[in-house]
Amino acid sequence: ILVALRPMPTKEQWEAEALHQYGLIAVDSKGDAMQLEKVTYDIAKLYLPSEVKQVGTSLGSFSVSAALLDALLAEFSQELAAKSGSLDSDPHFWMPLTMKKADYRAVMGKKDVSATDADKHFDRMAAFKTRFSSSGGILGCVDVGQQAYWWDYGRLELYMRNNSLLTETSSSAFALRRFLGLESSKGRQQWNTLEHVEVHPSAVVLNCRIGSGRIGPGSVLVNVVAPQVTVENCILVKVSSMVPIFGKGGLLYNVVEQRNSDLPCDAVRADVFMPGGVHHKIYSTRSTDGGKVWKDTLPNNSYSFEGIYKANQPLDVLECTQEANSAHENVGNKVMPLSSLKSLRVSVYSCCVARGCI
């Protein structure tokens, strides 16, 4: 696993860097690693073994040997065949494979997992580890160093920050733009049809069809179709609107709008599409911690975040994708038909982001 290793941080550093939001990798003097999933500083200190030399945040990038993958497929063949159960890599694989049983039970207890269930799963993984490899470590890490660039999009705060980073002038921003193909001669505005639109030089605009407006500084627009867009410090990803879009500091993600009034972009909105023409509009704010209000139904929403997550579980992803694409195409072709354009290509960044929107 890729890790940014460092000496054990202080409690103040842990809290300032929000390290409780990440998996923690600890490496001992032999180079063997263990993993704790998203724990506080006090819990980490309590359960890390004394021989740990370095710790680091997990970058979530695993390289698994073919032998280990085959062994895991065999171990969980019944669950896979029945498509039952739900297991996560950190708490259900790496933690029981690298921690002591009592420590694993205690950590899982803080996650509302009963001691009986924790022990049962630990014993299963311990037996698996014995069959797979009777000696030596099973998890190792590759240190990318503290100076490596790492752009995380896993939380709303980070999604906004690292998309907005594309419009900035730092060395990290330059590296990200270069990685995404935005430092070529084509620059930050690529594959667009912008009829009467003023675009700030710092803005990133990709594969958009917009009639008029102003795209201000700090804005990133990808796959946006609208008659008018006037925004500043906004992120719009895969948005199809029959009406003008206005706002500052907001996020619109996978949004289709056919209302009669303007579409605001001052907060957060992400649309969810389901078979049968079902279209949910999910609202939030940049200051809302989705994890803390996971079970709460926020104003103007028909579901809580947990509720919409569970409603999606039994659905066919391809059918949902088709519903979303049809809705976008229907509105997009009314605003600015593709048939009227000579060509339309998608940049590397547009492709990457679009895959996450469907």
Side-chain angles (χ1 to χ4, degrees), residues 60 84 329:
S84 64
E329 290 171 6

Side-chain angles (χ1 to χ4, degrees), residues 3-14:
V3 184
L5 287 178
R6 63 193 289 183
M8 183 66 180
T10 65
K11 186 171 185 176
E12 290 73 22
Q13 289 173 323
W14 192 283

Side-chain angles (χ1 to χ4, degrees), residues 4 22 47 79 88 94 109 111 128 141 163 167 172 176 194 211 215-216 223 233 270 281 289 312 321 332 354:
Y22 301 96
Y47 296 115
E79 289 90 341
D88 294 323
W94 308 125
K111 301 177 182 295
F128 167 83
C141 75
N163 273 303
T167 69
S172 177
L176 180 56
L194 309 175
I215 300 172
N223 291 342
N233 295 315
K281 302 176 182 180
D289 185 330
N312 266 310
T321 299

Side-chain angles (χ1 to χ4, degrees), residues 46 65 92 106 154 184 222 248 258 299 311 329 351:
L46 182 62
S65 69
H92 297 118
S184 67
V222 181
K248 291 184 178 182
Q258 302 187 62
E329 290 171 6
C351 288

Side-chain angles (χ1 to χ4, degrees), residues 15 43 98 102 144 297 319 348:
E15 294 174 351
I43 292 177
T98 60
V144 301
T297 302
E319 290 184 14
V348 173

Side-chain angles (χ1 to χ4, degrees), residues 96-161:
L97 288 173
T98 60
M99 295 179 70
K100 296 178 180 178
K101 185 174 183 177
D103 292 346
Y104 179 72
R105 181 195 306 126
V107 172
M108 295 304 287
K110 298 181 185 300
K111 301 177 182 295
D112 298 324
V113 177
S114 70
T116 299
D117 288 343
D119 285 352
K120 181 180 179 181
H121 186 72
F122 184 93
D123 291 341
R124 180 180 185 181
M125 296 310 296
F128 167 83
K129 182 179 179 180
T130 299
R131 291 193 303 272
F132 179 74
S133 177
S134 57
S135 64
I138 198 167
L139 177 65
C141 75
V142 176
D143 182 15
V144 301
Q146 285 295 302
Q147 302 305 313
Y149 292 126
W150 172 35
W151 305 292
D152 188 356
Y153 296 82
R155 305 197 314 272
L156 175 60
E157 172 193 1
L158 297 175
Y159 186 87
M160 293 294 295
R161 180 191 303 168

Side-chain angles (χ1 to χ4, degrees), residues 13 23 30 39 66 82 145 151 216 232 243 248 251 259 276 319 334:
Q13 289 173 323
K30 297 181 294 183
V39 295
W151 305 292
E232 185 174 322
V243 297
K248 291 184 178 182
L251 166 66
R259 70 171 82 189
E319 290 184 14
K334 290 178 180 177

